[in-house]
Structure formats: C-alpha cells, structure tokens
Amino acid sequence: MTFTPGITSAAERGLIFAIAGQNLYVVREPRIAIPEGPATPLYLGALDGVACFAQLVEDDTAPAGEPVALRQLFGALTDEEFAVAGRALGLTTWDRDHRYCGRCGGPTEPSPTERARTCARCSFATYPRLSPAVIMLVERDGKCLLARNARTKMPFYSTLAGFVEVGETLEEAVAREVHEEAGVVVSDIRYFGSQPWPFTSSLMIGFTAQWASGEIHADPTEIMDAGWFARDAIPVVPPKLSIARELIDAFVIGV
Ligand SMILES: [Zn+2]
C-alpha cells in the first residue's frame, strides 16, 4: 500500500479515521460520505488512491461501534493504515489545540496550501509540532541496560528514553538521559532508526551506545528498577509496536 500525503481533496467519499482521545473508531466501510460544515474532517492524503480523512469525535458525533485504543490496533490494521491512524491522532489534536493564535489570541483558519493554521488577525502561522525524543539501548559486556519506568503501570522493562532539550544534539541528549536516569556514562553513540510516536506528538529517534563508566544509580523519580540483562535473560519487554522492542530484539539477535 502506498500513502501520498496531501492538504486538500475534492473527494466526497473516503476512509475516515475518527479519533476520540487516544482511541480510534475503526471505520471498516471504506466509502463513507464526508460531512460538510464545521465538522468537516481533515484531509490526510490518499492510501492506494482512497482519500483518508481524520475527524475528532465529540460526544454527539461518535460513529456507531466501540472505539479501540490505537495502541491495541497495531497488528490489527496494516502497517500503512496504522501509520495513517497515527497521523490522524497527531493532526486532529494539533488542529484542536491551535484554534487561536499563540501570538495575538485571534482566531486561526486552516491554510489552503500547506499544513498550517494561520491567524486571521496577524497572519502568524502555526505548524504541527513534533517533540523529538531519544531512546537508546546501552550495552556493557554482552548485557543491555533495561529499566522499569516509575511513572507507568506497564509491567515491563524497556530501554531508557527522554525528550531532547532545546540547544542540544541528539547524541548529547542520549548521553544526558542515560546519565540522569541511570548514572552511567556512555560512548560510541550510533543511530539505529526512528519511529513516529503520535501518542505524545513525538518522533522517537533510536540509538545504541556502549557503557563507558559508572555503576547503575537509578533516579527514583524516573526509574523503579534498572539492571544489566544478558541475551538469554531478557525480562518482559514492550510489545512489537515500539522502537524500544526493535532495539531490544536487535540486541538479542546480535546485530
Ligand atoms: Zn495572531
């Protein structure tokens, strides 16, 4: 399947990705009439030629059926559909949160030519914003550093991660996060891959790194428990949805 992003479409029918919170109404009927007026959905692009729209669901506009948490749809939708659903989540949230200008407070309108909302009063344009976050697997003598996050109830160990701060490089962010969260100094920081993470409007940028010095001294506000795990002793880890799991799987098979 091929997705071609776009800003506007004359299509009167298409696929609607209806978003409620972080849930998605799976609209399996691919040819739904697009409503007009203030509730007009955001055009996302075309998936194999089928127009795809995103719509934020308020209580009175909920389609029939039960919403499903987007995270649970990984594997149930095709990878391409899941990626479009992620765009739908990110863009409907951005669209809702930028109805008014951050500079002068005037009302904004969607631009007809680019993915932006423009202030009707001062012309200031607001674009969808991503928060870059680094996520990294640190290796030491054939073991990898995994930790249980103190702020989630998820019963698994994962790689460390954190948002990039203004003014730092990605590599500096990796080194800082590992040191802040686990008290360890790393070297040989190498790019691994990236993944859009629409749940927090993030782009996750994955790295591998080598332990250089220091023993684990976890920050208790961030980390419940952390340790070095051998390939044959990996604890419960995140599902395949995440780049964290890709990093761990790559470590386990030794690539
Ligand atoms: Zn303005």
Side-chain angles (χ1 to χ4, degrees):
M1 300 175 96
T2 305
F3 182 74
T4 309
I7 307 297
T8 58
S9 168
E12 294 177 349
R13 292 177 178 277
L15 257 176
I16 294 184
F17 292 81
I19 299 291
Q22 294 205 335
N23 297 326
L24 174 74
Y25 287 85
V26 185
V27 183
R28 275 292 173 198
E29 168 53 56
R31 308 273 171 192
I32 288 182
I34 306 304
E36 291 189 8
T40 301
L42 276 178
Y43 181 65
L44 300 172
L47 187 60
D48 277 353
V50 176
C52 295
F53 297 85
Q55 184 159 38
L56 202 61
V57 172
E58 321 286 6
D59 287 345
D60 56 348
T61 59
E66 287 292 315
V68 180
L70 193 54
R71 289 167 188 266
Q72 293 174 9
L73 290 170
F74 186 74
L77 300 177
T78 66
D79 287 357
E80 292 82 3
E81 287 172 331
F82 188 80
V84 176
R87 285 175 188 257
L89 175 59
L91 288 176
T92 49
T93 307
W94 163 76
D95 191 67
R96 177 198 64 199
D97 294 347
H98 294 86
R99 303 256 164 95
Y100 296 93
C101 177
R103 181 173 287 175
C104 80
T108 63
E109 295 167 350
S111 162
T113 56
E114 57 183 349
R115 185 70 74 195
R117 291 188 69 92
T118 308
C119 178
R121 192 188 292 166
C122 79
S123 300
F124 181 68
T126 302
Y127 298 86
R129 191 170 298 165
L130 288 174
S131 301
V134 289
I135 182 164
M136 47 277 173
L137 185 132
V138 181
E139 190 174 341
R140 177 185 187 180
D141 300 331
K143 296 182 176 179
C144 71
L145 175 58
L146 299 176
R148 273 196 73 177
N149 191 309
R151 286 174 295 190
T152 69
K153 293 193 173 71
M154 305 290 191
F156 51 63
Y157 284 74
S158 189
T159 51
L160 299 177
F163 288 107
V164 179
E165 294 186 351
V166 173
E168 68 183 358
T169 66
L170 298 174
E171 290 81 0
E172 287 168 346
V174 169
R176 176 184 52 75
E177 281 290 338
V178 175
H179 192 254
E180 282 178 3
E181 294 191 4
V184 167
V185 176
V186 294
S187 63
D188 198 16
I189 297 165
R190 296 191 182 190
Y191 177 69
F192 175 82
S194 65
Q195 178 185 45
W197 194 249
F199 310 104
T200 50
S201 293
S202 295
L203 176 66
M204 304 295 289
I205 306 144
F207 290 87
T208 58
Q210 297 296 318
W211 172 84
S213 65
E215 298 304 322
I216 292 176
H217 185 76
D219 173 358
T221 62
E222 301 267 352
I223 303 296
M224 185 185 298
D225 182 40
W228 299 104
F229 295 89
R231 288 186 170 82
D232 59 357
I234 298 293
V236 177
V237 293
K240 292 227 175 255
L241 161 66
S242 63
I243 191 171
R245 179 59 178 272
E246 284 183 47
L247 278 160
I248 295 166
D249 286 354
F251 166 76
V252 168
I253 63 173
V255 293

